[in-house]
Amino acid sequence: MLTPLLRAGGRRLWLCVAALVLLTSMGRLHAEDGYALWMRYVPLDAALADAYRSQLGAVGAPDQTPTQHAAREELSRGLAGLLGSAPQLHADAGVGQALILGTPQSSAQLAPYRKDLESLGAEGYLLRQTQLGGREVLLVAAREDIGVLYGVFHLLRLLQTGVPLQGLEVRESPKLKLRLLNHWDNLDRYVERGYAGSSLWDWQTLPDWRDPRYTDYARANASLGINGTVLNNVNANALSLTRPYLLKAAALAEVFRPYGIRVYLSTRFSAPIELGGLKTADPLDPAVQRWWRDKANEIYALIPDFGGFLVKANSEGQPGPQDYGRSHADGANLLGDALAAHGGVVMWRAFVYAHDVPEDRTKQAYGEFSGLDGAFHPNVIVQVKNGPLDFQPREPLHPLFGAMPHTPLMMELQISKEYLGFATHLVYLGPLYEEVLRSDTHARGAGSTVARVIDGSLDGHALTGIAGVANTGTDRNWTGSHFDQANWYAFGRLAWNPHQSARDIAKDWAAMTFSPDPAVVQSIVGMMMASREAAVDYMTPLGLHHLMARGHHYGPGPWVAGGPRVDWTSVYYHRADRDGIGFDRTAHGSNAVAQYAPAVANVYGDLEQVPESLLLWFHHVPWDHRMHSGRSLWDELVGRYSRGVRQVQAMQDSWDGLKGGVDAPRHQQVAAFLRIQHNEAQWWRDASVAYFQSLSGRPLPAGEVPPPQPLAYYQSLQFPFAPGDGR
Ligand code: BDP
């Protein structure tokens, strides 16, 4: 009798202890709203802080330029937060300093490193623990001030993630030259495909009022090495090029400059007509050429380090050179010539599909651009989306990668999740980015990855770059949800080095954003790494694509048909009927596979070899088609939809387990968003299964629950106020 009682008592005691531990740890967790992003700098574990404090001691950090000042400020803020006391900062390098920041020009102690630092380039940096005058010192050294700032952010990351500094040796330089955010922000502060509030840019109060948030935006970007920002939407308003707006852009440029961030603008090709009163915007017309040259001169007088133009032309109704019978190269070169004298670049988008071409939309960019290889002026770079359609949950690589060896190509990724559940769905995009970067174009034999196309190493280009469509807005947490901060973060880290691993990046982010506790990190990284595949499963499994509701793209719409353009409908892309499903892009169909190098085309074009994850992108197959699992395609499809929903449930379970390990306000919001995601994943699954079953006429596989509502119900749902729609 005694033993069970004791056991019960013991259990109670254990529960009390556990509750106490939880309460104490919860007590330590301050309520957070996400504003600080991954730069929270909250106190480290005491032992770790002691160890770091003994290694960092007094700091020598010059304070002569705005960038040097920014580096000092960040270091000071970081160390004060992490270690509990602000460091002693000395502007002149001196004996006894344990941490030395600077360049060979700014710090006498770093002068001997001049040669060593040369090879790191203008933005690179060196972190090194070494002996100086018989003492241990840590150097954060670079050729230019901006490298020092990047080095400071790197050092702070090491501290935030608990990396020992003993014997530290880090040599870093960016693999890509242009590392840009593209803001799809309109002048009225509406953000196209934005899910995080309004535009950060308060055009009305600029240039006089410089919201301190602009500085925090710059800090966040500099912490990742992002070095440029396109302020306005690619569906551009010509007014951005008028003097009042240029003055506003100049004010932002001034705030961003110390952080190494240049300002760029999206330009409307017809601006010479709209603003200049010309009759034409023909790129070969001398008056048009003069107008753009004058405009460039005006811009550079106000913004001496202006980055250049981003252009969406002859796409989705935007004006462009083809309106005058000229090519994309003619258009891009017109602007390139205007900027050349000032060192600016033109990023000319390849996201084009014509209104009157009845061809498979995924083929059109290649069709229009591949023939122009080598025709662009040296300061023009062609900006290509990751896949040939439009930021879907999964796409194959864009066939232009590797197909234009004589033209610099940069990649455009979407950070904002237009097609991936907006801000409420937890979908970490690191694996999506990594998947495309590691895709092999086979253009110059095996190993010709997209990462090597865009880092210039494949074809020897010096002008290189990557752009991410920003997910920022006025929401307190910047990105509309706590987890969407990870997508901004991952984009920036991969922009610096596209060969990094999405999992490693997730680990850093989770430790810095939530907690360095290994159990917390492991659990969060597990959720993140599975999340993208979950979204693919519950939205568009097995290579399906573009099945979202019309216009706003919120929720399922696999039945979408009719309307202005066939390639804006879902039925065009899935082609399902009683017999089968999928878009035949083999030689029997649109032959889009032929746009890839033969080694890739052979795999994608062959039903036996194509990865199942892209099966229905490239093939139209009967419902009975045998899958690797041994199941029929129909059974597999339904199974994938349900698997996606279960995965969201698993994320909810993991998150519930983190109660007490993450501060309450953030925990609650993520938990609520996961509930939304779960409901919406279920909705996606039910609506899609109901719809495809209405075509296939097949019974659900054993164990699958029938959709609770008839198809007509799902089809009747309307969301006129879903956010972010184009307008
Ligand atoms: C699509 C968006 C649309 C953009 C377009 C683009 O739906 O709002 O304008 O891409 O990239 O994904 O130009």
Side-chain angles (χ1 to χ4, degrees):
M1 281 302 282
L2 260 182
T3 332
L5 260 182
L6 265 182
R7 265 203 213 124
R11 209 164 32 231
R12 232 170 282 139
L13 187 69
W14 186 88
L15 276 177
C16 284
V17 174
L20 207 68
V21 169
L22 200 69
L23 277 176
T24 353
S25 67
M26 278 171 73
R28 282 210 313 269
L29 296 173
H30 297 293
E32 295 190 45
D33 59 15
Y35 183 85
L37 296 161
W38 45 89
M39 305 172 295
R40 291 157 60 244
Y41 308 137
V42 293
L44 290 173
D45 164 85
L48 194 59
D50 280 348
Y52 283 143
R53 219 175 284 118
S54 69
Q55 286 169 303
L56 296 173
V59 182
D63 197 5
Q64 306 281 311
T65 69
T67 301
Q68 290 171 3
H69 187 70
R72 279 168 67 100
E73 289 285 297
E74 197 66 35
L75 184 77
S76 200
R77 180 202 287 245
L79 296 186
L82 291 163
L83 309 183
S85 55
Q88 306 160 27
L89 287 169
H90 305 278
D92 297 315
V95 187
Q97 291 164 2
L99 176 58
I100 297 172
L101 264 53
T103 64
Q105 305 84 269
S106 69
S107 163
Q109 299 196 67
L110 295 173
Y113 290 86
R114 191 178 298 273
K115 226 181 159 54
D116 195 4
L117 296 172
E118 268 320 298
S119 63
L120 292 173
E123 295 174 298
Y125 55 87
L126 166 71
L127 306 185
R128 176 179 288 168
Q129 210 205 27
T130 184
Q131 299 270 332
L132 216 72
R135 291 173 56 97
E136 293 263 291
V137 290
L138 185 67
L139 308 181
V140 178
R143 207 184 85 186
E144 309 285 341
D145 289 342
I146 187 63
V148 178
L149 178 63
Y150 290 159
V152 163
F153 277 114
H154 192 131
L155 175 63
L156 291 171
R157 163 152 50 96
L158 298 181
L159 305 189
Q160 286 168 283
T161 54
V163 175
L165 302 180
Q166 210 55 48
L168 189 70
E169 171 80 18
V170 173
R171 296 178 70 83
E172 278 284 338
S173 43
K175 300 258 183 297
L176 303 177
K177 196 165 168 209
L178 310 176
R179 307 178 298 279
L180 266 54
L181 288 184
N182 286 183
H183 289 274
W184 286 0
D185 296 16
N186 293 345
L187 298 182
D188 63 0
R189 302 192 78 177
Y190 180 83
V191 182
E192 183 161 337
R193 311 307 176 182
Y195 312 103
S198 306
S199 169
L200 290 169
W201 324 134
D202 187 358
W203 296 110
Q204 188 63 25
T205 54
L206 280 165
D208 301 302
W209 165 240
R210 298 171 184 196
D211 188 334
R213 194 163 187 168
Y214 302 150
T215 306
D216 286 331
Y217 165 87
R219 287 176 52 234
N221 283 320
S223 78
L224 306 170
I226 289 173
N227 66 358
T229 183
V230 183
L231 298 175
N232 59 324
N233 193 352
V234 286
N235 296 319
N237 189 319
L239 280 180
S240 314
L241 293 177
T242 57
R243 193 168 178 83
Y245 280 96
L246 291 175
L247 287 168
K248 295 167 194 281
L252 288 174
E254 235 167 77
V255 177
F256 300 159
R257 191 165 295 124
Y259 297 88
I261 297 164
R262 287 179 182 221
V263 153
Y264 297 73
L265 290 172
S266 293
T267 42
R268 192 164 158 84
F269 198 76
S270 52
I273 301 174
E274 286 156 56
L275 304 181
L278 301 187
K279 294 221 158 41
T280 176
D282 182 348
L284 300 194
D285 185 299
V288 172
Q289 294 167 352
R290 201 170 323 113
W291 190 87
W292 282 109
R293 264 199 314 275
D294 291 348
K295 187 47 79 181
N297 294 341
E298 182 187 355
I299 295 174
Y300 279 91
L302 298 172
I303 312 174
D305 55 354
F306 179 68
F309 294 142
L310 171 64
V311 192
K312 172 173 177 177
N314 292 121
S315 170
E316 299 186 329
Q318 294 298 320
Q322 292 177 338
D323 302 347
Y324 308 95
R326 313 297 184 195
S327 74
H328 281 289
D330 293 330
N333 293 341
L334 161 78
L335 300 179
D337 291 349
L339 297 173
H342 306 281
V345 299
V346 173
M347 297 162 294
W348 191 267
R349 296 176 90 225
F351 178 71
V352 297
Y353 57 101
H355 278 259
D356 44 5
V357 183
E359 195 171 32
D360 176 358
R361 187 175 133 186
T362 69
K363 289 176 66 180
Q364 293 187 34
Y366 180 99
E368 293 208 28
F369 278 82
S370 57
L372 296 174
D373 188 24
F376 295 90
H377 289 180
N379 62 338
V380 175
I381 184 164
V382 175
Q383 181 164 315
V384 182
K385 286 189 181 181
N386 59 291
L389 185 54
D390 194 7
F391 300 139
Q392 296 301 296
R394 170 166 279 122
E395 297 194 29
L397 73 160
H398 200 296
L400 276 175
F401 292 119
M404 298 183 69
H406 306 292
T407 307
L409 298 187
M410 63 191 284
M411 179 156 67
E412 176 177 322
L413 297 164
Q414 198 176 43
I415 310 173
S416 190
K417 305 202 314 298
E418 173 184 356
Y419 294 99
L420 285 125
F422 300 178
T424 35
H425 291 211
L426 193 168
V427 182
Y428 172 50
L429 298 176
L432 187 160
Y433 300 162
E434 182 184 79
E435 184 173 293
V436 62
L437 286 163
R438 294 185 180 182
S439 293
D440 197 343
T441 68
H442 283 270
R444 270 17 111 231
S448 308
T449 59
V450 172
R452 293 197 55 223
V453 173
I454 65 165
D455 75 11
S457 63
L458 191 68
D459 296 311
H461 292 295
L463 181 56
T464 58
I466 193 165
V469 178
N471 64 350
T472 50
T474 48
D475 277 8
R476 184 68 192 159
N477 64 19
W478 298 87
T479 55
S481 77
H482 296 295
F483 270 87
D484 273 323
Q485 297 178 355
N487 294 326
W488 180 7
Y489 184 84
F491 167 76
R493 292 286 302 275
L494 287 166
W496 180 270
N497 177 0
H499 305 275
Q500 287 183 96
S501 119
R503 179 178 291 275
D504 289 348
I505 293 171
K507 280 187 200 158
D508 283 346
W509 178 81
M512 294 193 287
T513 305
F514 286 111
S515 160
D517 176 345
V520 174
V521 171
Q522 193 188 9
S523 179
I524 291 180
V525 171
M527 292 167 65
M528 290 167 76
M529 291 306 291
S531 61
R532 185 275 186 126
E533 210 56 48
V536 169
D537 277 349
Y538 65 70
M539 290 181 179
T540 50
L542 301 172
L544 288 173
H545 44 286
H546 214 300
L547 304 186
M548 294 75 192
R550 198 196 287 278
H552 49 60
H553 302 149
Y554 171 65
W559 47 79
V560 168
R565 299 184 56 123
V566 61
D567 53 6
W568 283 356
T569 69
S570 304
V571 296
Y572 170 82
Y573 291 106
H574 65 65
R575 301 184 176 214
D577 58 18
R578 195 159 187 87
D579 302 318
I581 182 170
F583 197 128
D584 185 355
R585 294 194 166 102
T586 70
H588 307 293
S590 79
N591 205 19
V593 288
Q595 295 183 338
Y596 293 97
V600 178
N602 291 342
V603 171
Y604 286 161
D606 180 359
L607 195 51
E608 297 301 315
Q609 294 186 64
V610 66
E612 283 189 346
S613 58
L614 290 172
L615 176 69
L616 305 178
W617 186 286
F618 287 112
H619 297 268
H620 185 85
V621 274
W623 293 113
D624 281 332
H625 176 77
R626 265 308 118 210
M627 302 295 286
H628 297 321
S629 61
R631 297 197 280 188
S632 70
L633 168 62
W634 167 248
D635 286 4
E636 184 75 30
L637 184 73
V638 177
R640 293 289 176 110
Y641 273 114
S642 301
R643 189 176 80 175
V645 183
R646 282 198 305 277
Q647 187 56 47
V648 179
Q649 174 73 60
M651 293 201 284
Q652 288 182 287
D653 294 344
S654 300
W655 191 251
D656 284 349
L658 289 171
K659 219 177 190 154
V662 167
D663 61 288
R666 288 192 298 166
H667 191 275
Q668 280 159 13
Q669 199 195 43
V670 172
F673 277 22
L674 282 168
R675 281 196 296 279
I676 296 174
Q677 184 177 9
H678 188 255
N679 288 338
E680 294 186 356
Q682 189 69 54
W683 165 36
W684 261 99
R685 180 263 178 203
D686 291 336
S688 306
V689 168
Y691 171 70
F692 287 125
Q693 191 175 31
S694 77
L695 300 172
S696 80
R698 289 173 184 243
L700 292 184
E704 286 289 351
V705 180
Q709 301 285 347
L711 173 59
Y713 164 80
Y714 301 109
Q715 290 175 317
S716 72
L717 299 175
Q718 299 289 326
F719 303 93
F721 303 113
D725 202 355
R727 64 174 197 195

